[in-house]
């Protein structure tokens, strides 16, 4: 199975990114975690990105706050799927990061999740890998079935309470 790389622009993003890492590990997806900045370590970020496919990476999750150019800089240097997580890190409540991540020019796509949406970024990465992996497909379906059962149980409880 291919790995997922999780790249953050700063260690201050870790508290959000940990949700993605935990989700990937819970699904048994091998994960690499790195800190590269589009602005402070552009050469290293590019070197990582151009060699990612050869190093067994199948999807890259990139997260950054404020100007949030990391996902776009990574996407510019690979044809691997890139998922951006805009981080709430400024007085603009993450809107700056959201717009920097989602507003990519034609030809350089970045799939973008909600501000601080690390769990969904991980699940999207897993869904991408699951296109070719039946075991991951089943794990995703089991998780959805479990969530459905939980909601239906809560519906039953609330109906009993207010009868």
């Amino acid at each position: 199975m291919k790995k997922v790389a999780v790249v953050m622009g700063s260690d201050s993003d870790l508290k959000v990114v940990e949700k993605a890492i935990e989700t990937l590990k819970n699904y048994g997806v091998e994960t690499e975690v790195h800190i590269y900045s589009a602005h402070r370590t552009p050469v290293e970020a590019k070197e990582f990105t151009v060699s990612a496919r050869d190093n067994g990476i199948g999807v890259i999750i990139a997260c950054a706050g404020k100007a949030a150019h990391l996902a776009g800089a990574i996407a510019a240097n690979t044809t691997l799927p890139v998922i951006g997580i805009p981080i709430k890190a400024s007085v603009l409540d993450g809107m700056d990061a959201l717009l920097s991540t989602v507003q990519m020019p034609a030809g350089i796509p970045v799939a973008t999740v909600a501000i601080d949406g690390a769990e969904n970024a991980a699940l999207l990465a897993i869904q991408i890998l699951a296109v070719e992996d039946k075991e991951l497909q089943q794990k995703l379906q089991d998780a959805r079935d479990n969530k459905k059962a939980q909601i239906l149980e809560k519906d039953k409880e609330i109906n009993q309470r207010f009868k």
Side-chain angles (χ1 to χ4, degrees), residues 96-117:
D96 48 349
L98 174 64
L99 294 173
S100 294
T101 305
V102 77
Q103 290 294 102
M104 293 299 299
I108 309 294
V110 171
T112 306
V113 297
I115 296 167
D116 292 348

Side-chain angles (χ1 to χ4, degrees), residues 144-157:
R144 287 198 179 185
D145 291 346
N146 186 28
K147 294 254 189 217
K148 176 182 175 181
Q150 289 174 5
I151 294 295
L152 292 176
E153 182 60 33
K154 292 194 182 291
D155 177 65
K156 183 179 171 183
E157 291 171 10

